[in-house]
Amino acid sequence: MSEENQTQNGQAPSFGLQRTYVKDLSLEMPNAPEIFLEQEGPTVEVSIQVGGQQLAESVFESTVTATVTTRIGDKVLYLVELCQAGIFEASNIPAEQLDPLLGIVCPTMLYPYLRANVADAITRTSMPPLHLSEMNFQALYEQRLAQQSGAPAQGEDSGLILPPGARN
């Protein structure tokens, strides 16, 4: 085994997704059925948050939470909040690589599950599914680091993360 593939204790680094699951799901349609009579097109707001915690020495939970609020005028058509989680094993990873691994790689692996579950939940309302745009978790990670250091992130003006091309 090459030296660059081993850590100080002589063990090769290992990383893997052990399990993925929906940790929390909330779906609200507070103005149904009257809202179905509206002729105006809806507006959609999407917010994405990343979190996680260490469960054991080399076991971590990573979470990606999406909040999707769709309105017609000032009335909420539907509100979906979904927290997609995963259990990851990460051992013998150098300390300086662990935070980016948990903040970028893990959410990137969970996001396709979140996208599918959000689309499925919305379909169950009898509304057309909403397919969330691809997400750049490295940019989100860098934005979080900039916020922690007190420096404004590029283009930062709210906590809302929008699909590419959209402006808030």
Side-chain angles (χ1 to χ4, degrees):
M1 201 173 283
S2 67
E3 287 182 29
E4 60 263 359
N5 287 337
Q6 294 185 2
T7 61
Q8 292 174 340
N9 65 6
Q11 298 289 324
S14 68
F15 171 75
L17 173 63
Q18 303 300 314
R19 175 179 298 238
T20 183
Y21 55 98
V22 173
K23 188 169 185 170
D24 187 29
L25 172 60
S26 172
L27 172 64
E28 300 174 29
M29 293 189 73
N31 294 299
E34 295 84 9
I35 196 82
F36 294 128
L37 301 175
E38 295 289 333
Q39 299 297 314
E40 189 178 335
T43 60
V44 179
E45 298 171 20
V46 178
S47 174
I48 304 288
Q49 300 294 323
V50 173
Q53 63 179 326
Q54 186 169 5
L55 302 175
E57 183 179 340
S58 63
V59 180
F60 300 86
E61 178 191 55
S62 179
T63 60
V64 181
T65 303
T67 303
V68 179
T69 308
T70 303
R71 290 185 171 83
I72 296 179
D74 61 349
K75 295 179 183 173
V76 173
L77 175 58
Y78 59 79
L79 171 66
V80 176
E81 294 177 313
L82 191 136
C83 180
Q84 185 71 48
I87 304 292
F88 293 86
E89 179 273 328
S91 58
N92 304 313
I93 306 290
E96 68 275 3
Q97 294 177 7
L98 190 58
D99 193 52
L101 181 74
L102 298 172
I104 300 169
V105 176
C106 293
T108 299
M109 292 173 72
L110 294 175
Y111 192 65
Y113 296 98
L114 177 129
R115 290 176 72 198
N117 288 326
V118 166
D120 181 59
I122 293 169
T123 300
R124 292 175 187 275
T125 68
S126 83
M127 302 302 297
L130 173 72
H131 298 287
L132 297 175
S133 298
E134 292 293 326
M135 190 70 172
N136 183 341
F137 285 99
Q138 181 170 349
L140 186 61
Y141 177 79
E142 291 169 0
Q143 180 183 44
R144 183 179 57 112
L145 289 180
Q147 288 172 344
Q148 289 174 348
S149 70
Q154 180 181 353
E156 177 184 21
D157 59 352
S158 75
L160 187 63
I161 306 299
L162 296 172
R167 310 279 302 147
N168 56 343

